[in-house]
Amino acid sequence: MIFFVRTAFGLILQSTIYFISFAIVSQYWVYHQELLSGIKKATPMLTITNIYYLCFISLTPFATSWLNDSFLSRDSAIATAKR
């Protein structure tokens, strides 16, 4: 019974963190689309900046996975909050 409770809690925790990560990435995606909707021609500097921006956004699942692995760790909570 205890194993089932721990497994269920772990699954709920992982699912919650996944959906939080998905919501954060979705929010950035919508903002990104709004930000670049008025651009008629992309310059090389804009493309490079866009690649850096998306590179850091792609780290969101890593930070949320780290939060899941060490749920009560102060460092992982700070890293996730700074996204």
Side-chain angles (χ1 to χ4, degrees):
M1 179 70 177
I2 294 174
F3 176 73
F4 176 73
V5 172
R6 284 187 183 174
T7 305
F9 178 73
L11 182 61
I12 290 170
L13 183 63
Q14 286 180 352
S15 298
T16 302
I17 291 175
Y18 168 77
F19 285 117
I20 289 171
S21 174
F22 183 78
I24 291 169
V25 171
S26 298
Q27 179 184 8
Y28 279 114
W29 179 260
V30 169
Y31 175 70
H32 184 258
Q33 292 297 316
E34 290 175 3
L35 184 66
L36 296 179
S37 66
I39 303 295
K40 294 184 181 181
K41 183 179 180 197
T43 63
M45 187 63 179
L46 179 65
T47 304
I48 292 170
T49 305
N50 191 26
I51 289 170
Y52 283 133
Y53 175 76
L54 293 176
C55 174
F56 287 113
I57 296 304
S58 69
L59 294 176
T60 300
F62 168 74
T64 54
S65 175
W66 183 27
L67 178 65
N68 186 36
D69 292 341
S70 54
F71 187 66
L72 297 176
S73 170
R74 181 178 149 229
D75 295 334
S76 63
I78 290 171
T80 304
K82 289 190 175 189
R83 298 249 110 238

